């Protein structure tokens, strides 16, 4: 959404955003290397990283890329479930059993895991620091950011950094939640932000 708005600002009336990622390598390292979220969930990270350890360069994502594209369907399936298990650990304080079962089903897990690894290994197809370098292009666009305080996939510093450099933005930290939009406080804040953006656009005669 941010990249689209920066590329085509004249086509965007306003932005409603949650759990900010800026497409940086630091964010990828936080999720997948041992000095990031691994420090908070060491036992889960140990299972995740050991499963696809790459003896050549100790690159966890490279190991997963290799296994997710294996000619052996069993390897693809098991590695995708392991990837999704790690993402589930990062996503919620209190993981719903039905969501967990779906996420760990190989028919669901494999395409999602492949997509994640492909994008993260290719720097989300962005230039270094592209979003913040182009943040001035958002100056005429109002925006509301809903950011969970304990989001381990999208840590709050990215939302704060964006907000500080985007005068038209409003930022709400949700104090008692993790990443998932299905957590009650996140959902309530998301709906409230929708209403606030709608009212703002009405008042500015953009709707």
């Amino acid at each position: 959404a941010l990249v689209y708005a920066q590329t085509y600002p004249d086509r965007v009336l306003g932005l409603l955003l949650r759990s900010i990622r800026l497409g940086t390598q630091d964010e990828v390292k936080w999720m997948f290397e041992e000095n990031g979220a691994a420090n908070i969930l060491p036992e889960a990270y140990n299972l995740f990283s050991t499963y696809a350890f790459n003896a050549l360069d100790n690159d966890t994502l490279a190991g997963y890329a290799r296994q997710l594209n294996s000619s052996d369907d069993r390897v693809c399936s098991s590695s995708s479930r392991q990837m999704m298990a790690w993402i589930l650990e990062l996503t919620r304080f209190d993981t719903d059993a039905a969501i967990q079962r779906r996420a760990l089903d190989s028919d669901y897990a494999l395409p999602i895991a492949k997509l994640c690894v492909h994008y993260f290994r290719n720097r989300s197809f962005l230039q270094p620091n592209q979003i913040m370098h182009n943040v001035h292009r958002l100056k005429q666009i109002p925006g509301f950011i809903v950011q969970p305080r304990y989001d381990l996939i999208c840590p709050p510093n990215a939302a704060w950094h964006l907000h500080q450099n985007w005068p038209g933005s409003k930022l709400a930290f949700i104090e008692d939640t993790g990443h998932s939009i299905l957590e009650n406080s996140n959902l309530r804040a998301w709906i409230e932000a929708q209403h606030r953006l709608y009212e703002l656009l009405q008042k500015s005669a953009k709707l």
Side-chain angles (χ1 to χ4, degrees):
L2 286 167
V3 174
Y4 182 91
Q6 290 174 342
T7 306
Y8 306 106
D10 294 339
R11 301 180 187 178
V12 178
L13 298 180
L15 287 170
L16 180 61
L17 307 169
R18 62 171 295 272
S19 293
I20 296 298
R21 289 185 71 87
L22 298 175
T24 68
Q25 280 302 101
D26 285 343
E27 291 167 327
V28 176
K29 290 177 180 178
W30 164 265
M31 278 187 70
F32 296 113
E33 295 186 10
E34 61 182 8
N35 291 320
N39 288 324
I40 299 172
L41 299 166
E43 69 281 30
Y45 183 79
N46 183 64
L47 290 173
F48 168 70
S49 60
T50 301
Y51 188 85
F53 179 74
N54 184 338
L56 296 177
D57 57 8
N58 196 25
D59 184 336
T60 304
L61 280 180
Y64 270 95
R66 185 178 62 252
Q67 295 198 59
L68 289 167
N69 291 285
S70 170
S71 58
D72 187 334
D73 289 345
R74 293 171 299 178
V75 173
C76 294
S77 178
S78 59
S79 60
S80 69
R81 289 196 300 270
Q82 195 65 44
M83 168 68 78
M84 293 305 296
W86 172 240
I87 291 175
L88 280 171
E89 289 286 345
L90 297 173
T91 298
R92 288 177 63 88
F93 284 162
D94 185 18
T95 304
D96 180 88
I99 293 173
Q100 187 171 24
R101 285 194 299 272
R102 182 190 177 203
L104 296 178
D105 180 271
S106 58
D107 288 339
Y108 177 87
L110 184 57
I112 298 298
K114 282 187 172 183
L115 186 65
C116 287
V117 171
H118 183 59
Y119 265 79
F120 290 142
R121 291 193 74 211
N122 287 282
R123 301 174 182 267
S124 299
F125 300 95
L126 300 174
Q127 296 299 315
N129 205 35
Q130 177 178 327
I131 290 176
M132 291 309 303
H133 179 73
N134 294 325
V135 72
H136 63 280
R137 297 181 182 177
L138 303 175
K139 63 181 179 180
Q140 301 300 326
I141 301 173
F144 288 84
I145 304 168
V146 175
Q147 176 64 49
R149 177 72 70 182
Y150 300 104
D151 190 332
L152 296 182
I153 289 182
C154 303
N157 60 319
W160 177 250
H161 187 42
L162 176 65
H163 171 60
Q164 291 293 101
N165 289 276
W166 177 15
S169 67
K170 305 290 185 184
L171 171 62
F173 282 121
I174 313 307
E175 297 293 343
D176 59 348
T177 63
H179 179 79
S180 176
I181 188 62
L182 298 179
E183 295 187 43
N184 289 334
S185 294
N186 284 343
L187 190 56
R188 284 195 299 269
W190 181 248
I191 293 170
E192 180 183 348
Q194 289 178 3
H195 291 312
R196 292 180 66 192
L197 179 58
Y198 180 76
E199 291 170 357
L200 179 64
L201 294 176
Q202 278 191 318
K203 289 178 181 178
S204 63
K206 291 185 176 181
L207 287 182

